[in-house]
Structure formats: C-alpha cells, structure tokens
Amino acid sequence: KKYVVELCELIKMKRYGPCMVERFGAPGTDLAGLSMFQFIETSCISGHFSPSTNAAYINIFSCADYDPEMARKFTEKFFGARNSKILVNARK
C-alpha cells in the first residue's frame, strides 16, 4: 500500500478510495501471491506479486500522461529489483 501511495505522488495520479491488497491464487502454485488494485482518477493501477517466481507484474493504466521510465525506476528501487522490463502502450 505504501508503494501505491508513493508511486501516485511521483507520477501525479490522484488515488480514489483505498488500495486493495489480497492474498490470491491457489496455495502452493505459481499463481499464489498478493494482488493489488488502486482506482485512480484517470483509471487504475494493479499488480500481482508472485513469491514462487520472485516477480512482480504491475500495470499503470491511465488516460493521463506520466513518465513510464520514472515509474519503472521508482518501482525497481522500491522493491529492490535487480532488473525489470517495461512495455508501454501509448494512448493516442
């Protein structure tokens, strides 16, 4: 939840309601982990964190502009990631 608050401040997105974080997926499988969802004024931020694969999958979906590289660097630093990949689908 702290990650979402700090990310939204950084990329200037207004949060709407509380950040939801739930343990999700069948225990003992690659699907098990934490799922996160945050409404923002311009859409939503979601993520899934998988302990079995030691990976995080985060989606920032917004019709407002933000710097995806800044969000990637912040996310990598926040979680102590050794590497990351980014995919940007720009809205036209």
Side-chain angles (χ1 to χ4, degrees), residues 17-64:
C19 179
M20 296 171 274
V21 178
E22 296 288 335
R23 194 156 298 283
F24 197 81
T29 70
D30 286 351
L31 301 176
L34 292 173
S35 289
M36 171 270 297
F37 188 85
Q38 174 68 61
F39 285 105
I40 56 176
E41 191 173 61
T42 55
S43 198
C44 66
I45 299 171
S46 63
H48 186 71
F49 305 87
S50 175
S52 67
T53 59
N54 197 30
Y57 306 90
I58 298 168
N59 181 35
I60 304 169
F61 183 73
S62 177
C63 58

